[in-house]
Amino acid sequence: MTIKTNVIGTLNMLGLAKRVGARILLTSTSEVYGDPLVHPQPESYWGNVNPIGVRSCYDEGKRVAETLMFDYHRQHGIEIRIARIFNTYGPRMNIDDGRVVSNFIAQALRGEALTVQKPGTQTRSFCYVSDMVDGLMRLMEGDQTGPINIGNPGEFTMVELAETVKELIKPDIEIKMVENTPDDPRQRKPDISKAKEVLGWEPKVKLREGLPLMEEDFRLRLGVSKK
């Protein structure tokens, strides 16, 4: 279903944009870079993606979606915008969506061990939702087609993230190492030079400022009061 949504869904939306003359924004992903051999990742990097792995439906689905966007742009003159979104977090996320920040905060609030996938040294960069929305709006309102990386270049290992959540929410909780999923990228960090230059955008909210805002929202929804 993931690849069908990315391919057929993008085709359907491009058909609609063509019919009504609309500008269309594709929220692509840092996953187009796969398990990168270049660090940090600039938009010019073509990526290192396994086409037949368990995660390929997402990586390749988004890569095809970008291809379709540019095909329609070149062939039909559709106004397109492509954002390559890196890890994003904030209030109102699905509590059990399986994303690492949601997992850690929910686990800490429930008093469960924080499960870090091995080896724990893999890195991610976390952008707070308000910064992300600002970047997307600037891209949509500007004259650049993209693709443009939108993300926070602050880079953290999964162990560092777990330690930060532990310290902020429940200092006595355990951190437990578990087996990893196949094709998990070892590192993720956006090169946001292009976003700075053409959008005048860079993130403002640091991880230590954003996590408590997400914690507050999760506490309300889980019914866990602060001791």
Side-chain angles (χ1 to χ4, degrees):
M1 285 314 294
T2 300
I3 200 158
K4 284 173 79 175
T5 302
N6 278 314
V7 177
I8 299 167
T10 302
L11 266 175
N12 288 343
M13 292 307 295
L14 281 165
L16 176 62
K18 181 186 171 191
R19 203 158 64 244
V20 302
R23 180 179 299 172
I24 180 169
L25 169 72
L26 172 70
T27 49
S28 188
T29 172
S30 58
E31 293 294 322
V32 299
Y33 300 124
D35 190 5
L37 305 175
V38 169
H39 196 72
Q41 296 82 56
E43 292 85 354
S44 56
Y45 179 51
W46 289 356
N48 176 42
V49 177
N50 173 5
I52 56 167
V54 292
R55 300 164 62 102
S56 306
C57 56
Y58 184 63
D59 303 7
E60 298 290 28
K62 288 289 193 184
R63 285 163 69 98
V64 172
E66 288 194 13
T67 304
L68 288 168
M69 291 282 285
F70 268 93
D71 284 347
Y72 268 70
H73 173 62
R74 284 186 285 252
Q75 197 161 336
H76 304 295
I78 305 293
E79 264 198 276
I80 63 165
R81 302 288 183 269
I82 297 175
R84 287 182 179 157
I85 293 177
F86 283 67
N87 292 58
T88 305
Y89 71 100
R92 294 192 288 280
M93 286 179 79
N94 187 334
I95 288 170
D96 294 306
D97 66 7
R99 294 167 192 264
V100 68
V101 183
S102 313
N103 277 2
F104 286 173
I105 291 179
Q107 285 170 337
L109 291 174
R110 288 168 174 154
E112 299 167 1
L114 306 188
T115 51
V116 175
Q117 294 192 335
K118 292 176 184 175
T121 51
Q122 63 273 41
T123 67
R124 296 294 181 271
S125 305
F126 300 100
C127 185
Y128 190 68
V129 63
S130 58
D131 285 332
M132 179 57 60
V133 170
D134 178 41
L136 292 173
M137 287 175 69
R138 286 172 188 244
L139 174 60
M140 194 58 168
E141 289 163 4
D143 58 3
Q144 299 289 321
T145 59
I148 293 184
N149 289 336
I150 304 201
N152 192 320
E155 187 181 16
F156 297 86
T157 69
M158 294 304 93
V159 168
E160 285 172 338
L161 175 66
E163 292 285 3
T164 306
V165 169
K166 174 179 171 168
E167 181 195 325
L168 290 170
I169 300 177
K170 201 172 172 64
D172 61 347
I173 209 150
E174 181 195 353
I175 293 175
K176 188 170 78 179
M177 304 303 286
V178 297
E179 288 308 314
N180 204 335
T181 50
D183 294 329
D184 186 44
R186 286 161 299 176
Q187 47 188 17
R188 269 277 176 277
K189 178 181 177 175
D191 179 335
I192 59 166
S193 313
K194 193 172 176 183
K196 283 181 180 174
E197 183 192 333
V198 303
L199 304 179
W201 177 88
E202 63 181 312
K204 298 179 179 71
V205 182
K206 294 184 173 65
L207 187 65
R208 282 183 173 274
E209 298 164 351
L211 287 175
L213 301 173
M214 189 167 168
E215 175 200 348
E216 194 180 331
D217 170 64
F218 272 38
R219 273 189 191 281
L220 279 173
R221 290 193 282 150
L222 287 168
V224 178
S225 59
K226 250 187 169 158
K227 295 285 188 288

